[in-house]
Amino acid sequence: MTMIKPNGRGFTRVINAAKCSIEGLGYAYRHEEAFRMELGICAVLIPLSFWLAESPSEFLTLVLPLMAILVVECINSAIEAGIDRISTDIHPLSKQAKDLGSAAVFLTMLITGICWLSVLFF
């Protein structure tokens, strides 16, 4: 696996950073089952939100939290990879870091559920 460090100036830096981002998304899709599951949920719920939303603000209330789940899942996966890179030994701080990352994903899902319920029932 080649690593591209987003260096350069101006537009070159933006292009290089975009390549790194695309590689990260590809990695998440290929290697992170939770990311694939959440992406599948987004593939169903985002089109549904076009039908359910009665205004642009409702649409954003439905879609943005779904996207946030994917963002937080990527961050959680990065935390786990960093911890595993340091050591695969069982350590209380490693568990704490991984559990906190998982908690962030859970809270983002909770926020998403609240947003969906608010649009559907209020």
Side-chain angles (χ1 to χ4, degrees), residues 37-80:
M37 290 172 54
E38 293 154 355
L39 190 62
I41 291 167
C42 288
V44 172
L45 293 182
I46 289 174
L48 182 61
S49 67
F50 281 101
W51 182 69
L52 289 174
E54 295 180 2
S55 68
S57 62
E58 280 191 358
F59 177 76
L60 292 174
T61 300
L62 295 174
V63 171
L64 292 180
L66 290 169
M67 295 175 68
I69 291 173
L70 298 176
V71 170
V72 176
E73 186 63 53
C74 286
I75 293 168
N76 182 42
S77 295
I79 290 168
E80 290 181 356

Side-chain angles (χ1 to χ4, degrees), residues 101-121:
S102 180
V105 174
F106 174 77
L107 290 172
T108 307
M109 289 179 175
L110 187 61
I111 290 166
T112 302
I114 291 168
C115 289
W116 275 75
L117 289 173
S118 74
V119 169
L120 291 174
F121 296 110

